[in-house]
């Protein structure tokens, strides 16, 4: 198994795994990242990052509420931890836009 594919996302420009996969949460997720192979700078649209994060947390809360209605009780702490991990790992697949020079 290639460790580069786990630690890095695929660059939209050169198609190599050169963009850091785990960029953080919140403002860190919309910061500029640079491909280590082609040197192009990319970022995630901040509005998209906000709505995707909220959607992931909402999905986990909805599933947890449905399971509690069906008498399958899951502690809120476990749901919160799973939602946080999902947000971190989902950032790997968020669409990146090329950073325009100012």
């Amino acid at each position: 198994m290639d460790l580069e594919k786990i630690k890095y996302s695929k660059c939209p420009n050169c198609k190599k795994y050169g963009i850091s996969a785990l960029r953080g949460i919140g403002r860190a997720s919309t910061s500029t990242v640079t491909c280590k192979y082609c040197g192009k700078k990319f970022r995630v649209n901040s509005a998209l990052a906000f709505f995707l994060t909220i959607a992931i947390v909402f999905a986990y809360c909805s599933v947890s509420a449905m399971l509690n209605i069906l008498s399958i009780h899951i502690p809120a702490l476990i749901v919160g931890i799973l939602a946080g991990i999902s947000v971190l790992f989902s950032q790997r697949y968020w669409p990146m836009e090329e950073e325009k020079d100012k």
Side-chain angles (χ1 to χ4, degrees), residues 1 5 8 19 25 30-31 33 38 46-47 50 52 57 59 78 86 98:
M1 188 163 135
K5 291 183 179 181
Y8 296 98
I19 296 176
I25 300 176
T30 59
S31 65
V33 292
C38 66
S46 60
F50 174 75
L52 287 175
V57 173
I78 301 221
S86 294
E98 189 171 345

Side-chain angles (χ1 to χ4, degrees), residues 49-80:
F50 174 75
F51 285 116
L52 287 175
T53 302
I54 297 299
I56 290 170
V57 173
F58 180 74
Y60 270 97
C61 292
S62 298
V63 169
S64 175
M66 284 190 253
L67 290 175
N68 282 335
I69 290 171
L70 296 173
S71 297
I72 304 171
H73 297 287
I74 298 175
L77 180 63
I78 301 221
V79 172

